Amino acid sequence: MPKLTLNGKEIEVPAGSTIIEAYKQLDEPIAHYCWHPGLSIAGVCRLCVVEIEGNPRLQIACNTQIQEGMVVNNNSEKVKTAVKWGLDFHLINHPLDCPICDQAGECELQNQYMEFGKYDPEMAEPKVKKRKVVDLGERVVLDTERCILCSRCVRFTNEVSKTNELGIFNRGDRSEVGTFEDKPLNNKYSVNTVDICPVGALTSKDFRFKQRVWYLKNKPSICTGCSTGCNVNVYYNEEGVFRVKPHYNKEVNGYWMCDEGRDIYKHINRKSRMLRGRYKQNGVWCTTQALEVAKKAGQKLSSFKGEEIAVLVTGQYTNEELNSLVDYSVNKLGSKSVFHWKNNENNWQDFDGHLIRGDKNPNTKGLQGVLQKYAVGGEWKELENQLSKFKAVVVAGPENQSVYFDIKEKIESLKSLECVVWFTAGENSNFEKLSDNSYLIPQKTSVEKNGHFTNHQGLTQKVEEVTTILPEALNLEETVSLMLGNSLDLSIRDKQEMGVLKTNYFSQERGSL
Amino acid sequence: MFKLSDEGVAYVKKELERYETKRSAIIPCLYRVQSENGGWVSPESINYLSELMDLPVAWINEVFHFYTMFNKEPVGKLHVQVCNNITCCMLGARELTEHISKTFEMGIDELSKDGKITLSKVECLGSCDTAPMMQINDSYHENLTPESAVKIIKDMVHGN
Ligand code: SF4
Ligand code: SF4
Ligand code: FES
Ligand code: FES
């Protein structure tokens, strides 16, 4: 491993590293736009310049390999001046419309200006005007005059999504990023270009103008969109979750995630949730707290014999939850009739070669493990064929209903049973069809609980509570415990008001602008 | 639908073999398309070329937009390109351009009334020693005066 000196500090780096990688390893600040660890090197922004001892000219750190004994710095006056005026060049034709730009607050032009710039602009020339609000299809909007031509997005479509839609057209100060004839950028990974765009040139249609980023907090989590289990950051505030972005994990998703995975927050937010628990008696639905419904359901289930009860499970719960449910079924209810409900069986095995899988559950492997442990488990078909054998069914339904196209059919088939207990995070109008003695128990979503998911490759990843969207909702372990007749201290949660949408408390803390 | 002639297709195939990467063949192929498409390259013909060369359409568009010698709009039969770079300008290229424009009653990058001529200003064409100069289609005309330039164009319009 070669050794070198960076800004006076000795450091050892893997052979073949570039100077910028050494800076990153040391966690020393270095200006840069075009370099991205997940893409090839372009060397076009010229901001990462460093001074190498014995070298008369400044060189770019992203495209210079480390040599044994190099002495490098980026804190000399010479480098600082170069970076400062380099930044001014980047801003020559930049519209500086930060007040109406969605990137403000997480913009590299703003950040780097504050860190390395702070000059008084010396450009008096009128700016070159370019096209704004160019519609690039379903998910992305382009503002060509904000673009600083770093080419990250172009390299992304060439190297990662391999769809090659983007290019830089024209030349000099007229250069414009775009697609041929503004064709839509409808590849399945398109929003990654929004993430890597250092400025507000590419913005997400879904997120645009929904929330200023400084009113959002974020915490890491796991995408529940499919069995790949991409690592993500969830951005949220008191109003709910606003977006999901990828979080680097070399083993799983690298720097990226798919577009569909970004939509998972939609079924997490209140709008699509089952807000209160309910059960049906004498033809009427009674609405009450989730925990009350769980208790009632537990009592009802205990009136059936083990062989009269079937359990239907989706891979949408954590290992801990699934374990408690299956244990409850086998050891408490005395039923070994546990069945696995899969989303769309036909494309269950699909894989697009990059990240997206047909198995749209975060924890299929985990579920299979639990079923194996208790020596139970069958397919839906088997349950369907012997449905008349059963009087009651317990369903751990999907959190993400949008990928379970057969949810209506399942409700139709199961409503003939004497008793249906359904755990669900989301609301669904088809639940109304269920007959007497049906119990609907609101569940937490993946961002509201702690536990583990095991992805398709058998890697077990932790999810930690990010925020609470519905204080009343339970996780499966809590539900099972309540069904067993235990009491649960939910007093803290109960205090929070339910059913009322909170206003953005951050907006009240804004102060004078 | 734009299509290259059989010879044109054969030419593209040959160019594709010629370089290490297919991308390098874009310029000669675009030239071919321009000449078979009446002097300009249409979006439709870029799509066609992308399929023929099996290259992403954005890559071809990048090259097409970078170079001014590919015309983005239809041009007249005679494409008069007057050099407006330093040497030529010092020797009267601006006045020359103005004169041509007035004589044939057409603006820059516009078609003349009869639809036969397009006038453009271009950067240095590498013929500074014979400035001022202009290029009409594929030929250079050098050491111009306003009168000689107009005569050359008129002669060409009348088919000499
Ligand atoms: S749109 Fe963004 S990512 Fe793409 S080249 Fe411009 S600044 Fe870079
Ligand atoms: S590939 Fe799967 S896990 Fe990854 S972001 Fe997409 S849906 Fe989520
Ligand atoms: S980061 Fe090195 S040149 Fe852009
Ligand atoms: S300046 Fe006109 S040919 Fe060079």
Side-chain angles (χ1 to χ4, degrees):
Chain A
M1 296 231 297
K3 275 202 196 100
L4 76 160
T5 315
L6 282 191
N7 294 0
K9 294 174 196 147
E10 286 240 330
I11 173 180
E12 230 176 284
V13 292
S17 317
T18 54
I19 297 180
I20 202 167
E21 284 167 339
Y23 270 93
K24 290 281 159 185
Q25 193 179 318
L26 251 191
D27 218 4
E28 277 283 302
I30 179 161
H32 64 86
Y33 283 130
C34 65
W35 181 78
H36 185 282
L39 301 172
S40 65
I41 296 164
V44 292
C45 75
R46 317 311 284 186
L47 276 197
C48 64
V49 284
V50 290
E51 196 170 11
I52 303 171
E53 216 163 81
N55 225 325
R57 287 204 300 170
L58 299 181
Q59 266 178 280
I60 53 172
C62 64
N63 206 9
T64 309
Q65 274 204 8
I66 268 151
Q67 314 267 312
E68 179 64 44
M70 259 184 177
V71 180
V72 183
N73 83 74
N74 73 342
N75 50 15
S76 68
E77 274 318 303
K78 194 171 167 189
V79 175
K80 283 187 182 162
T81 318
V83 173
K84 191 157 137 182
W85 297 117
L87 260 170
D88 195 17
F89 271 115
H90 277 287
L91 282 157
I92 290 179
N93 288 314
H94 189 83
L96 283 177
D97 52 354
C98 313
I100 54 154
C101 177
D102 214 46
Q103 189 84 1
E106 54 180 5
C107 171
E108 286 302 309
L109 264 186
Q110 292 181 330
N111 296 347
Q112 310 229 2
Y113 175 82
M114 293 313 285
E115 182 143 10
F116 307 105
K118 293 209 172 152
Y119 50 81
D120 285 327
E122 294 189 359
M123 253 333 134
E125 258 43 59
K127 294 188 186 246
V128 178
K129 295 262 188 290
K130 291 180 198 166
R131 300 189 308 150
K132 293 180 94 69
V133 208
V134 182
D135 187 340
L136 285 190
E138 273 165 45
R139 291 180 185 262
V140 181
V141 181
L142 166 69
D143 183 307
T144 61
E145 60 181 8
R146 287 184 193 149
C147 170
I148 53 155
L149 301 166
C150 70
S151 82
R152 278 183 179 186
C153 58
V154 178
R155 281 174 284 148
F156 177 85
T157 56
N158 287 346
E159 296 160 16
V160 183
S161 71
K162 302 211 166 63
T163 44
N164 309 304
E165 297 101 329
L166 288 166
I168 293 173
F169 308 134
N170 221 318
R171 61 176 163 167
D173 60 1
R174 311 287 142 138
S175 299
E176 253 190 59
V177 78
T179 57
F180 176 66
E181 299 270 286
D182 293 342
K183 275 211 293 215
L185 182 69
N186 286 349
N187 69 62
K188 292 191 152 58
Y189 296 90
S190 65
V191 187
N192 290 302
T193 60
V194 174
D195 293 339
I196 58 177
C197 179
V199 297
L202 294 168
T203 48
S204 151
K205 251 191 197 173
D206 186 46
F207 179 67
R208 259 162 86 85
F209 309 131
K210 294 270 164 66
Q211 201 58 245
R212 277 305 197 181
V213 294
W214 51 87
Y215 299 133
L216 294 174
K217 302 181 205 166
N218 70 81
K219 275 194 196 155
S221 190
I222 304 294
C223 174
T224 53
C226 80
S227 60
T228 299
C230 294
N231 290 213
V232 295
N233 264 324
V234 176
Y235 289 75
Y236 66 98
N237 66 22
E238 290 287 293
E239 285 181 31
V241 176
F242 282 84
R243 65 173 178 186
V244 177
K245 278 174 172 270
H247 183 80
Y248 179 64
N249 185 332
K250 198 168 146 223
E251 311 296 320
V252 183
N253 52 314
Y255 295 92
W256 321 116
M257 75 183 290
C258 77
D259 287 354
E260 207 184 298
R262 295 181 193 254
D263 290 338
I264 58 161
Y265 80 91
K266 291 179 183 158
H267 65 254
I268 288 173
N269 281 342
R270 294 183 73 97
K271 233 167 98 189
S272 41
R273 297 288 290 278
M274 177 171 282
L275 300 177
R276 311 291 321 262
R278 54 186 196 270
Y279 61 97
K280 197 171 182 182
Q281 244 172 13
N282 307 325
V284 251
W285 284 101
C286 311
T287 304
T288 177
Q289 283 195 359
L291 80 166
E292 290 303 327
V293 185
K295 280 183 201 158
K296 283 196 194 322
Q299 282 158 12
K300 181 74 191 172
L301 283 174
S302 61
S303 68
F304 294 100
K305 293 201 205 79
E307 61 270 22
E308 292 170 343
I309 304 175
V311 178
L312 184 60
V313 206
T314 57
Q316 302 237 331
Y317 296 84
T318 64
N319 288 337
E320 293 78 358
E321 290 179 294
L322 292 168
N323 201 68
S324 79
L325 177 66
V326 177
D327 187 79
Y328 169 69
S329 168
V330 174
N331 294 328
K332 298 295 185 324
L333 297 175
S335 163
K336 289 205 133 208
S337 308
V338 183
F339 301 90
H340 184 181
W341 174 12
K342 300 171 173 173
N343 69 287
N344 205 346
E345 307 245 1
N346 302 331
N347 54 17
W348 182 252
Q349 300 288 350
D350 284 4
F351 175 49
D352 75 342
H354 188 196
L355 293 174
I356 304 171
R357 285 170 203 276
D359 171 4
K360 298 285 175 208
N361 301 282
N363 203 18
T364 297
K365 268 271 159 70
L367 173 59
Q368 285 166 345
V370 171
L371 295 178
Q372 231 167 43
K373 178 173 150 199
Y374 288 90
V376 292
E379 300 287 317
W380 161 255
K381 275 266 160 318
E382 298 166 45
L383 172 60
E384 201 179 22
N385 292 338
Q386 39 176 314
L387 205 56
S388 51
K389 226 178 82 182
F390 298 107
K391 289 193 173 151
V393 63
V394 179
V395 186
E399 170 184 316
N400 183 2
Q401 298 184 0
S402 65
V403 292
Y404 274 74
F405 302 108
D406 56 347
I407 192 157
K408 185 174 166 197
E409 283 163 45
K410 293 284 183 289
I411 292 172
E412 296 279 354
S413 335
L414 296 175
K415 74 174 189 203
S416 59
L417 296 181
E418 217 174 279
C419 165
V420 178
V421 178
W422 197 300
F423 311 134
T424 179
E427 189 53 274
N428 191 311
S429 58
N430 290 302
F431 285 140
E432 297 308 314
K433 299 199 181 99
L434 291 169
S435 5
D436 265 11
N437 295 313
S438 294
Y439 301 84
L440 298 171
I441 310 172
Q443 297 293 309
K444 291 179 180 173
T445 57
S446 63
V447 302
E448 295 166 282
K449 57 195 177 194
N450 296 309
H452 292 85
F453 288 136
T454 307
N455 78 351
H456 75 101
Q457 60 195 124
L459 189 75
T460 299
Q461 310 191 86
K462 197 155 127 192
V463 277
E464 277 178 297
E465 187 181 331
V466 172
T467 177
T468 302
I469 307 282
L470 271 192
E472 166 160 346
L474 306 166
N475 67 27
L476 269 191
E477 288 165 280
E478 292 165 343
T479 315
V480 166
S481 174
L482 286 161
M483 294 207 298
L484 284 170
N486 301 329
S487 64
L488 205 60
D489 183 20
L490 294 178
S491 50
I492 307 168
R493 284 205 233 137
D494 288 346
K495 278 196 198 115
Q496 301 189 22
E497 216 178 307
M498 275 163 286
V500 193
L501 192 74
K502 289 206 180 63
T503 54
N504 181 1
Y505 80 25
F506 293 87
S507 58
Q508 273 128 47
E509 283 176 8
R510 256 182 238 176
S512 58
L513 291 173
Chain B
M1 254 295 283
F2 172 81
K3 266 199 163 99
L4 282 174
S5 62
D6 289 349
E7 298 83 57
V9 173
Y11 176 84
V12 168
K13 294 261 141 88
K14 211 180 88 222
E15 289 299 312
L16 280 173
E17 306 271 293
R18 192 161 152 186
Y19 304 98
E20 241 170 70
T21 65
K22 285 208 223 167
R23 234 173 158 161
S24 311
I26 296 178
I27 293 184
C29 295
L30 271 173
Y31 258 133
R32 183 77 193 203
V33 166
Q34 173 153 299
S35 74
E36 290 201 18
N37 192 44
W40 73 296
V41 182
S42 61
E44 178 202 53
S45 64
I46 291 185
N47 260 326
Y48 167 81
L49 195 58
S50 146
E51 265 167 46
L52 186 63
M53 297 179 77
D54 191 21
L55 282 176
V57 67
W59 295 9
I60 297 182
N61 205 40
E62 280 182 327
V63 176
F64 167 61
H65 270 273
F66 188 88
Y67 294 104
T68 49
M69 70 247 191
F70 298 121
N71 295 317
K72 275 93 204 157
E73 304 281 337
V75 290
K77 250 201 162 58
L78 295 184
H79 188 200
V80 179
Q81 307 178 61
V82 187
C83 172
N84 267 253
N85 216 306
I86 295 179
T87 320
C88 290
C89 279
M90 286 171 70
L91 290 162
R94 288 201 185 119
E95 296 73 20
L96 174 71
T97 316
E98 187 67 36
H99 184 75
I100 297 172
S101 158
K102 275 212 182 106
T103 313
F104 295 94
E105 293 173 52
M106 59 183 167
I108 303 298
D109 293 329
E110 273 173 21
L111 274 177
S112 60
K113 273 201 188 135
D114 57 4
K116 287 189 179 146
I117 317 169
T118 302
L119 175 66
S120 312
K121 287 191 205 167
V122 295
E123 302 306 329
C124 179
L125 289 169
S127 191
C128 312
D129 57 331
T130 56
M133 60 81 64
M134 66 182 174
Q135 179 183 349
I136 302 182
N137 297 350
D138 291 333
S139 56
Y140 274 19
H141 303 272
E142 299 156 317
N143 295 316
L144 299 171
T145 62
E147 295 71 34
S148 70
V150 166
K151 183 168 185 302
I152 293 169
I153 298 170
K154 277 194 175 150
D155 283 352
M156 289 183 92
V157 172
H158 296 122
N160 311 322

